[in-house]
Amino acid sequence: EIAVREHRLHQLRVEEVAVAHHDDAPAGRPRTGGSLRHRGRGARLDGTKGACVSFASARLEGASFREARLTMSRFDRAKAISASFEKAELEQANFEKTELTGSSFAGARLSGADFAHAGLESARFESAELRGANLHGARTAGWSGANLEGTRATDEELLEAERWSPK
């Protein structure tokens, strides 16, 4: 199990739950650039702080991002089944085409986040703030208990055009 506490990340590419202790960053300064790797499930990134961190295409099954502050970070095309984003601050994060089945976003701040075409079956959003989020084509059973004010819902005609292919 990987545990990261009180680390600040900025513009870092994370692959396959790719966070390890990074002592090469000066105390109090964010780790910038580069890539960290660690294979595993159930990584604990609770309370991690950062901006513009890339988890794009990462394997994050069972990962915990409780109370993490990762604004404008990328999770697009990641596999984060049963991950916990409870009470996380993920404003303007990109979850496009991310597999988030069974994940929890309870109490998370997701204003302006992009969930286009994300797999959100059985995901929980109780008390989540989704103001202005893009929900186009997201596959979910519902957004029960979430604030959906100003969200972009699925445009059925656009979705049909996106799925079209010549026969």
Side-chain angles (χ1 to χ4, degrees):
E1 178 176 292
I2 300 301
V4 176
R5 290 192 177 91
E6 295 305 317
H7 286 286
R8 295 181 186 167
L9 308 174
H10 182 72
Q11 294 183 342
L12 180 72
R13 169 127 176 93
V14 180
E15 303 165 3
E16 297 189 60
V17 187
V19 176
H21 292 287
H22 36 270
D23 298 327
D24 55 332
R29 300 274 328 271
R31 165 75 188 231
T32 60
S35 177
L36 299 172
R37 279 184 91 79
H38 176 78
R39 291 180 185 258
R41 294 177 52 101
R44 293 195 49 181
L45 295 128
D46 298 340
T48 299
K49 297 175 179 75
C52 305
V53 179
S54 179
F55 295 91
S57 301
R59 294 177 51 200
L60 301 166
E61 293 96 335
S64 179
F65 291 89
R66 286 184 56 85
E67 299 180 9
R69 293 174 61 193
L70 294 167
T71 58
M72 296 183 291
S73 291
R74 294 184 53 201
F75 294 86
D76 48 304
R77 293 179 167 76
K79 189 171 185 178
I81 296 168
S82 299
S84 174
F85 296 92
E86 294 175 3
K87 298 182 181 177
E89 295 179 26
L90 298 161
E91 287 90 351
Q92 298 179 22
N94 184 347
F95 289 95
E96 185 176 0
K97 297 182 180 176
T98 302
E99 184 54 57
L100 294 156
T101 300
S103 293
S104 177
F105 290 90
R109 292 174 44 187
L110 299 156
S111 296
D114 187 352
F115 285 96
H117 304 284
L120 294 162
E121 292 87 350
S122 303
R124 296 180 313 282
F125 288 90
E126 297 87 8
S127 302
E129 173 63 53
L130 286 146
R131 187 181 317 256
N134 180 9
L135 312 179
H136 176 73
R139 299 177 318 278
T140 181
W143 303 97
S144 179
N147 178 354
L148 300 173
E149 183 178 326
T151 57
R152 178 180 170 212
T154 299
D155 178 328
E156 295 298 333
E157 289 180 8
L158 177 59
L159 186 61
E160 185 177 337
E162 290 170 343
R163 292 180 176 164
W164 182 85
S165 66
K167 294 187 183 215

